[in-house]
Amino acid sequence: MKRVALLSAALLLSVTASFGSGVLVEAESFRDKGGWAVDQQFMDQMGSPYLIAHGMGKPVADAVTTVEFPETGTYRVYVRTFNWVAPWYDGEGPGKFALRVGSRKLSATLGCTGSEWMWQCAGKVSVRKGPVSVSLTDLSGFDGRCDAVYFTTEEGDVPPSGSAELAAFRKRMLGIPATPQTAESFDFVVVGGGIAGMCAAAAASRLGCSVALVNDRPVLGGNNSSEIRVHLGGVIELGPNEGLGRMIREFGHSREGNARPAENYEDAKKSAFIAGEQNVKLFSSCRAVAVNKEGGRIKSVIVRHIETGEETTLEAPLFADCTGDGTVGFLAGADYRMGRESRDEFGETLAPETADRMTMGSSVQWYSVDTGRKTSFPTFSYGVEFNAENCERVTMGEWKWETGMNLDQIRDFGLLVIYSNWSFLKNGLKDNAKYRNRELGWVAYVAGKRESRRLLGDYVLKQDDIDKNVFHEDASFTATWDIDLHFPDSLNSVRFPGREFKAATKHIHIYPHAVPYRCLYSRNVDNLFMAGRNISVTHVALGTVRVMRTTGMMGEVVGMAASLCRKYDASPRLIYQKHLGELRRLMREGVGRKEGIPDNQKFNTGGSLKAPRALRND
């Protein structure tokens, strides 16, 4: 029986719910989102997905829904929103929008005041009992955001702002049970639908496991999706386990390059790849929000649909954290690291003398297009000033446009500097013939992350393992990418001290090295695997294992190991201790299809890496 399914917003919760005198409308579940997009990236910080008007300076089409009012009356209206430039600018922000109820447009301009997520009063409106159209009207195209709209007939009835109180309020208003009423059981639950998660799910499926694959976006592929647009890097099908990586040929794109047109990333191939797995059930647009444990083991993960709010409990004896951020591990209390270790801790010459919190940042990539005619762009200046000396005279930005290295991962600052720089090029630069006919063609609103939490396993890969090509009896996937550690660009730091938005790197060439299987399971959560950029490595070692063909091979290994755990009723650690030989045989053979797969992909080895010919696949 085929086990591929998508949760459909149309079949789940209503867009609105009333309780007492109030009616709550969750923006992310609007029936017609128009040009607004669902943004779930900050649910952990602000409690919910929301709608964002990502128009790159051009107002987007209205988001529209129908609200069922329980009674005729005059309602006070509150909108939960955020002035997103507030961390860098003390004043009215650019993310302006308005609310329309029926035929009336409320007078308040929303989304441009305050300094945090808040319930902004939008005014009063009289409505009749029954269905009424409600719409969000973008006024600027500059990423206005709306979380929810609340209608109430009672004066002073403002929803709570505290995270716990607001979460309880949402559930009460929407009739969502305190604990999920729906539960499903699988052999293996994989959280994260990037390249690592896709390969983990598919490998386990092909070896007989029933698998739940949870992805918090509507498209698969993570950083390699059309939403972020990073090409696949790394070499596959190398010794000692040549079978690893062949699977990636089934869905990998055939054109390289970052920040290219959406079709280059071939999202449909990724969807078809997972849809073709008979034992995989895809929970699309669902985010892991909680973990239930028994002792040192995860019993279940609770996932929430990012549009409807419906929650489902996924039970399994085995779990894999392929989120990149180590989200499941964090929720489960797994040991983890974040930031850079000191030079002395692991004897790494590339590490700083003192440990710190610096991570490789997030890229908000973008490009402009030549329209063949003169174009305009609004003046945009909100706390970061550009001039003829410090502006970036470019028509696109890819991986180097990177923020969050010295701070938390900051998507919004990435948007701020792109719009500010482009505004200066269009409106302030005297000799701007190069930009006169150009307009922004694409700016990512989903950030491309490189590093956050790294979950700790029974082994922590370090620089010495790579430098000396240390042999490990549990050698699994082979990493080929240079040690590629990003840090703030020095010139950008001089021009924008403390507010860097560009990165630099130095590629340290390596010999291909096989990473221990012990880096792929948690040392203190007994049934948790991990694959992707959150595996058990130091910050320095992450510089070589983090690219996506390599993380895909990690996923394959995890899927294979999960099948052995099922076969022997064993923990991930016990596979290393008692069944390593069988895992080796699986890795050497691989589970990728051997027939009908074109050999038409280019393989980026990383820098000028020149492995011995016997190990190269370029």
Side-chain angles (χ1 to χ4, degrees):
M1 176 179 176
K2 193 170 180 59
R3 295 182 57 86
V4 178
L6 303 180
L7 289 176
S8 170
L11 297 176
L12 298 174
L13 296 178
S14 168
V15 68
T16 66
S18 60
F19 187 89
S21 62
V23 178
L24 179 66
V25 186
E26 289 284 7
E28 61 268 18
S29 57
F30 266 43
R31 171 177 47 82
D32 178 2
K33 296 178 179 60
W36 296 66
V38 178
D39 189 354
Q40 90 306 331
Q41 297 169 86
F42 307 100
M43 287 174 64
D44 298 341
Q45 290 78 36
M46 53 77 65
S48 172
Y50 56 86
L51 288 187
I52 184 170
H54 186 59
M56 301 178 292
K58 297 179 180 180
V60 304
D62 288 3
V64 183
T65 196
T66 300
V67 176
E68 187 75 25
F69 284 89
E71 61 184 52
T72 298
T74 299
Y75 288 81
R76 291 168 174 82
V77 187
Y78 297 93
V79 177
R80 190 168 190 249
T81 184
F82 175 49
N83 173 19
W84 65 271
V85 300
W88 309 282
Y89 181 73
D90 185 15
E92 187 176 274
K96 301 176 181 180
F97 66 98
L99 184 72
R100 184 181 296 276
V101 181
S103 60
R104 182 184 171 191
K105 181 179 178 181
L106 277 63
S107 59
T109 299
L110 304 165
C112 57
T113 60
S115 60
E116 59 187 1
W117 279 96
M118 67 177 189
W119 291 99
Q120 183 179 348
C121 181
K124 297 180 182 179
V125 64
S126 296
V127 298
R128 293 185 178 275
K129 178 180 178 179
V132 177
S133 174
V134 173
S135 60
L136 304 175
T137 298
D138 178 26
L139 301 177
S140 69
F142 282 125
D143 299 279
R145 47 206 71 181
C146 179
D147 173 24
V149 183
Y150 183 62
F151 297 88
T152 178
T153 58
E154 291 188 7
E155 186 174 355
D157 179 22
V158 183
S161 295
S163 57
E165 297 84 0
L166 181 56
F169 172 80
R170 289 184 198 274
K171 287 194 172 185
R172 183 176 74 251
M173 290 297 301
L174 297 172
I176 299 174
T179 57
Q181 301 300 294
T182 302
E184 297 190 45
S185 297
F186 300 87
D187 295 325
F188 188 35
V189 172
V190 178
V191 182
I195 304 303
M198 290 170 58
C199 290
S205 167
R206 294 179 185 186
L207 292 169
C209 296
S210 63
V211 183
L213 175 60
V214 180
N215 188 40
D216 69 358
R217 294 298 301 165
V219 296
L220 292 162
N223 281 349
N224 184 237
S225 72
S226 63
E227 295 188 314
I228 302 175
R229 307 188 191 182
V230 179
H231 66 183
L232 297 173
V235 182
I236 58 176
E237 299 174 273
L238 297 183
N241 299 306
E242 294 87 348
L244 296 176
R246 187 171 67 245
M247 173 184 290
I248 299 169
R249 295 183 183 273
E250 298 174 35
F251 62 81
H253 56 77
S254 55
R255 288 174 286 184
E256 288 187 293
N258 299 322
R260 299 295 195 270
E263 57 268 22
N264 283 30
Y265 302 90
E266 301 181 78
D267 290 343
K269 285 173 65 175
K270 301 181 187 74
S271 295
F273 172 76
I274 291 299
E277 291 301 324
Q278 299 297 310
N279 295 321
V280 175
K281 181 171 183 178
L282 174 62
F283 290 82
S284 183
S285 295
C286 290
R287 186 178 180 91
V289 295
V291 164
N292 296 315
K293 287 182 68 180
E294 286 187 352
R297 297 174 61 84
I298 299 173
K299 180 181 178 182
S300 62
V301 169
I302 298 174
V303 301
R304 180 183 302 155
H305 195 277
I306 66 172
E307 293 188 21
T308 70
E310 185 190 54
E311 293 184 344
T312 303
T313 299
L314 303 179
E315 301 172 341
L318 297 164
F319 296 83
D321 188 331
C322 301
T323 63
D325 291 328
T327 302
V328 176
F330 174 76
L331 292 171
D335 294 338
Y336 72 93
R337 284 287 185 85
M338 191 165 178
R340 303 189 296 181
E341 294 86 355
S342 69
R343 186 172 302 167
D344 290 342
E345 182 172 1
F346 290 97
E348 296 178 308
T349 59
L350 297 175
E353 289 189 9
T354 303
D356 58 33
R357 295 282 291 175
M358 181 181 285
T359 62
M360 290 181 278
S362 297
S363 289
V364 178
Q365 300 190 122
W366 64 277
Y367 60 73
S368 64
V369 294
D370 190 338
T371 67
R373 55 178 175 78
K374 185 177 179 179
T375 62
S376 62
F377 189 79
T379 298
F380 189 100
S381 182
Y382 295 91
V384 178
E385 301 297 327
F386 286 87
N387 54 49
E389 283 69 44
N390 69 9
C391 69
E392 296 289 332
R393 303 188 186 203
V394 294
T395 59
M396 70 171 297
E398 48 171 302
W399 69 265
K400 288 185 179 181
W401 286 67
E402 183 175 336
T403 58
M405 293 168 280
N406 286 309
L407 306 167
D408 292 330
Q409 303 285 345
I410 298 177
R411 186 278 312 271
D412 284 348
F413 188 64
L415 295 175
L416 178 73
V417 295
I418 290 168
Y419 296 147
S420 301
N421 185 70
W422 190 250
S423 177
F424 178 77
L425 296 179
K426 295 289 289 184
N427 303 311
L429 186 64
K430 290 183 178 180
D431 182 16
N432 72 345
K434 180 178 179 181
Y435 312 102
R436 196 167 296 143
N437 293 346
R438 302 190 77 89
E439 67 179 13
L440 293 176
W442 173 75
V443 179
Y445 72 90
V446 181
K449 293 183 179 180
R450 289 178 180 82
E451 179 182 8
S452 48
R453 302 182 191 97
R454 303 185 305 280
L455 304 179
L456 298 178
D458 280 350
Y459 193 87
V460 178
L461 188 76
K462 57 191 179 296
Q463 182 185 340
D464 192 59
D465 293 295
I466 301 163
D467 288 345
K468 298 177 180 177
N469 194 20
V470 173
F471 170 78
H472 296 281
E473 63 173 347
D474 58 334
S476 60
F477 67 93
T478 295
T480 58
W481 198 258
D482 297 345
I483 297 179
D484 175 12
L485 298 171
H486 292 201
F487 45 84
D489 176 83
S490 57
L491 179 58
N492 196 243
S493 292
V494 170
R495 290 174 171 174
F496 302 94
R499 292 187 174 184
E500 297 90 348
F501 58 87
K502 294 195 72 178
T505 187
K506 181 179 180 182
H507 284 258
I508 309 298
H509 305 323
I510 68 166
Y511 190 92
H513 61 98
V515 177
Y517 162 70
R518 287 166 291 163
C519 295
L520 300 178
Y521 61 85
S522 170
R523 71 185 187 186
N524 69 310
V525 179
D526 294 342
N527 60 340
L528 179 63
F529 288 103
M530 53 268 194
R533 57 185 175 82
N534 56 357
I535 68 167
S536 183
V537 296
T538 65
H539 168 84
V540 170
L542 182 64
T544 180
V545 302
R546 62 183 174 80
V547 294
M548 284 181 280
R549 286 194 180 94
T550 304
T551 62
M553 291 189 288
M554 298 177 198
E556 284 189 77
V557 175
V558 162
M560 293 170 179
S563 75
L564 296 179
C565 290
R566 175 178 177 269
K567 179 179 179 179
Y568 294 110
D569 190 23
S571 68
R573 179 177 289 115
L574 203 61
I575 300 306
Y576 165 67
Q577 294 172 338
K578 293 190 174 182
H579 305 287
L580 187 57
E582 192 165 351
L583 178 61
R584 283 198 200 103
R585 289 192 291 273
L586 285 173
M587 293 189 294
R588 288 170 182 165
E589 176 62 23
V591 291
R593 307 201 188 284
K594 298 179 180 179
E595 304 296 332
I597 305 300
D599 185 10
N600 64 350
Q601 295 185 49
K602 293 181 174 65
F603 293 84
N604 190 329
T605 58
S608 58
L609 168 69
K610 294 297 180 183
R613 173 56 59 181
L615 291 177
R616 288 172 62 189
N617 191 355
D618 56 359

